[in-house]
Amino acid sequence: MQQKKAEVRVFVDGLYIKVIDDLIGTGYGTNRSEVVRKMIHDWVMTNIGGFHGLMKYSKKR
């Protein structure tokens, strides 16, 4: 499977922005995009079983 990067735009309410900005302040990421990428990565690792789980999931589709 060839991997491609794509832009994803998300509009979220103020509380979510505050959480993201607070995470930047703790060093979780250097900007909002990086924090959201890390949040998605962490969710995949926890809920889908990491890379192998993601590959298995993608083959189901």
Side-chain angles (χ1 to χ4, degrees), residues 5-47:
K5 288 186 177 183
E7 179 182 15
V8 176
R9 285 186 172 215
V10 175
F11 297 94
V12 296
D13 293 326
L15 181 58
Y16 296 106
I17 293 295
K18 177 161 179 21
V19 170
I20 291 168
D21 288 345
D22 287 347
L23 288 169
I24 293 170
T26 66
Y28 188 71
T30 58
N31 57 51
R32 289 176 176 167
S33 293
E34 185 177 350
V35 169
V36 171
R37 276 192 302 271
K38 286 185 175 186
M39 292 170 83
I40 292 169
H41 176 267
D42 291 348
W43 185 88
V44 167
M45 297 304 281
T46 301
N47 295 291

